[in-house]
Amino acid sequence: GTRRDWPAALAYCEALDLGGHDDWYLPNSKELQSIVDYRRTTLPAIDTSVFKITEDSETLDYWTSTTFGDWKNYANVIAFGKALSKAGDQTEYSDWHGAGAQRSSIKSLEGQGMTEDTTCSVNACDYNRPDNLVRCVR
């Protein structure tokens, strides 16, 4: 339930000692996307009977350990809630991609000189936050 920037998310998982195990890590994009429950008709799109510590919210992006291509300051996130974007002359964000979407977020604002809340391409602007949620795996 604690939001962290990407370096803190990596460190949190690497230092986690839970259930008698200390081999936790931040999952890559494919690992995290494999637990999205696409059958759910409500959010979050995860089996809450298995993953009991899950925030009840529509905007649930979780960090992955996967850097976003050549954009070394960005990492992939997986949406377990709405994947917010806007394009053209839209002023409000909408859920273009839906739960299970892989998006990107800036890893940290520290030292970046950035205050923008969007990452834009020629097609759309994605909502961008440096403090996403963390789900460690082993």
Side-chain angles (χ1 to χ4, degrees):
T2 301
R3 293 182 174 277
R4 295 173 168 83
D5 68 6
W6 192 75
L10 285 170
Y12 172 75
C13 289
E14 289 173 6
L16 186 61
D17 188 345
L18 180 66
H21 300 281
D22 63 0
D23 56 345
W24 298 92
Y25 62 93
L26 192 63
N28 66 39
S29 294
K30 289 182 179 185
E31 289 172 315
L32 190 57
Q33 204 164 37
S34 75
I35 63 171
V36 174
D37 187 348
Y38 294 99
R39 298 169 297 168
R40 288 186 62 97
T41 57
T42 59
L43 299 174
I46 193 168
D47 185 345
T48 55
S49 69
V50 174
F51 301 98
K52 297 191 183 300
I53 303 173
T54 300
E55 189 175 319
D56 185 17
S57 175
E58 291 188 346
T59 54
L60 295 170
D61 290 344
Y62 284 82
W63 284 117
T64 73
S65 61
T66 308
T67 294
F68 182 62
D70 290 337
W71 293 36
K72 301 303 179 198
N73 293 338
Y74 290 78
N76 292 343
V77 295
I78 303 297
F80 285 83
K82 294 181 177 181
L84 301 175
S85 293
K86 62 183 177 178
D89 50 354
Q90 273 186 301
T91 57
E92 299 293 320
Y93 288 98
S94 59
D95 186 20
W96 279 23
H97 311 285
Q102 177 176 283
R103 311 306 307 148
S104 64
S105 278
I106 193 160
K107 291 178 178 178
S108 177
L109 290 180
E110 191 171 318
Q112 301 296 324
M114 293 183 59
T115 57
E116 290 295 317
D117 64 351
T118 58
T119 300
C120 298
S121 69
V122 294
N123 298 316
C125 289
D126 289 340
Y127 184 72
N128 184 33
R129 62 181 308 151
D131 62 334
N132 292 296
L133 294 165
V134 181
R135 183 158 314 274
C136 305
V137 298
R138 56 176 294 276

